[in-house]
Amino acid sequence: RENKRQKKPSVGVSCYTAPDAAIVADAEVDFIVVGDSLAMTLLGHDSTLPATMAVMELFVAATRRGLTGKNTPLISGDMPLGSYQPSDRDAVVNACALIQAGADLVKLEGCMPERIKALANAGIGVVAHLGLQPQMKALVGGWKVQGKTYDEANDLCCDVDAVIKAGAVIVLLEAVPAEVAKWIVELQLEDPDCKDVPLLGIGCGPHVDGQLLVLSDLVGEFRQFKSRFAKRYAEIATEKTGAVLRYVNEVRVRVFPDADTSYSMDKDELKLLLEDKGERDV
Ligand code: KIV
């Protein structure tokens, strides 16, 4: 909210492990999303649906442990499929588990004002994820840009309004045309009840209050597919492949390990060892 007041774009990264949390915190990001995208990028599934509460708690806790430096971005933990849809009670119990694991906020997909109210009443900050919702991709017709028609844009704007009025502290829009995102941001600014709530985007163009990218996309590690918005700032997979190839080659040609990468004995102890071998050879 402070960034929004100062008209400074917020920056977030979706990542899941202690070393990655430390790296993105050093880069002074404002927030980390421990997203259920980890089911795909880390665990090899072809959708986010197999993420469970146990998995999300494990990675939220790992991310929290990675924040040992001076920068402590907010951590938002994703509520996986099945953890909030059945009832308000389920949503509150599971959100509390993510908070206990180390999250500051929880993120859930879809326009669910009642759930958001229940969580807000329990004192839990909610990030409402609208637009493309990977958990609902079967319902919205796969990985598609959302809000491309006038009617869809209007529905999306009503959803944004509803989740903010229910108490969402941040709205995250995914894969929405830049013009639609701009229009929604401008309309929300006109509403005194909504104007302070940051509207962040992933694949929504430059007019939102902040940006999010998935770390494995931005460093070029996830290579199964590439979304148009997922700008690559590095080619880590290529780097890693090169490193492993060099290692394999050095072992095969007996260049590695060498004296610098091996331990050695104390000289006197070595002498004893060699004498012992000499005696046994005789
Ligand atoms: O799971 C995730 O990483 C996310 C972001 C892509 C928004 O939900």
Side-chain angles (χ1 to χ4, degrees):
R1 283 196 184 207
E2 190 48 36
N3 283 350
K4 181 161 179 150
R5 243 190 306 276
Q6 293 178 13
K7 297 193 169 28
K8 173 181 166 194
S10 295
V11 191
V13 168
S14 190
C15 67
Y16 335 98
T17 65
D20 283 347
I23 289 169
V24 304
D26 283 350
E28 299 189 2
V29 301
D30 300 297
F31 65 100
I32 290 176
V33 171
V34 181
D36 58 2
S37 56
L38 62 81
M40 302 175 72
T41 58
L42 216 54
L43 305 181
H45 294 289
D46 61 3
S47 79
T48 61
L49 304 189
T52 60
M53 273 303 295
V55 167
M56 295 311 300
E57 285 172 62
L58 184 81
F59 285 103
V60 164
T63 301
R64 173 59 67 193
R65 284 193 294 273
L67 299 185
T68 54
K70 68 174 169 48
N71 302 322
T72 47
L74 280 179
I75 297 180
S76 169
D78 262 12
M79 301 202 63
L81 184 74
S83 68
Y84 59 98
Q85 287 88 353
S87 67
D88 288 351
R89 188 174 185 282
D90 282 310
V92 173
V93 168
N94 287 317
C96 285
L98 291 179
I99 301 288
Q100 283 174 326
D104 300 299
L105 308 166
V106 299
K107 174 162 82 60
L108 56 79
E109 292 184 10
C111 182
M112 302 189 81
E114 292 312 317
R115 291 290 178 278
I116 294 171
K117 266 186 214 153
L119 291 164
N121 286 339
I124 298 166
V126 180
V127 180
H129 182 159
L130 297 174
L132 176 67
Q133 298 154 36
Q135 289 174 13
M136 302 293 159
K137 72 184 172 89
L139 295 179
V140 297
W143 306 95
K144 283 195 188 140
V145 178
Q146 303 293 302
K148 282 184 91 171
T149 64
Y150 176 75
D151 286 345
E152 281 178 15
N154 250 313
D155 288 349
L156 185 58
C157 191
C158 291
D159 288 354
V160 169
D161 206 65
V163 296
I164 294 179
K165 289 185 173 146
V169 294
I170 293 174
V171 178
L172 175 71
L173 296 176
E174 178 166 355
V176 171
E179 303 89 335
V180 175
K182 180 170 189 278
W183 177 68
I184 293 176
V185 167
E186 286 169 1
L187 281 177
Q188 296 304 320
L189 279 177
E190 289 170 10
D191 185 336
D193 292 334
C194 300
K195 67 177 185 22
D196 295 330
V197 175
L199 283 171
L200 309 177
I202 172 164
C204 294
H207 309 292
V208 283
D209 301 313
Q211 300 292 332
L212 175 74
L213 280 180
V214 177
L215 185 62
S216 52
D217 284 338
L218 84 89
V219 299
E221 188 150 39
F222 182 70
R223 295 189 297 178
Q224 275 69 0
F225 62 86
K226 184 186 168 307
S227 307
R228 176 189 171 100
F229 58 75
K231 182 167 177 183
R232 281 197 185 150
Y233 290 85
E235 293 295 343
I236 291 298
T238 312
E239 275 284 299
K240 273 191 179 175
T241 308
V244 176
L245 281 172
R246 288 195 295 282
Y247 159 64
V248 169
N249 184 50
E250 288 197 359
V251 173
R252 303 258 197 252
V253 300
R254 299 184 190 284
V255 167
F256 174 84
D258 58 8
D260 287 345
T261 47
S262 303
Y263 299 107
S264 48
M265 278 181 99
D266 179 89
K267 284 210 168 50
D268 293 339
E269 297 296 326
L270 177 61
K271 209 168 142 217
L272 289 175
L273 197 76
L274 294 175
E275 280 169 6
D276 176 76
K277 182 176 183 300
E279 278 167 23
R280 279 195 281 115
D281 285 349
V282 172

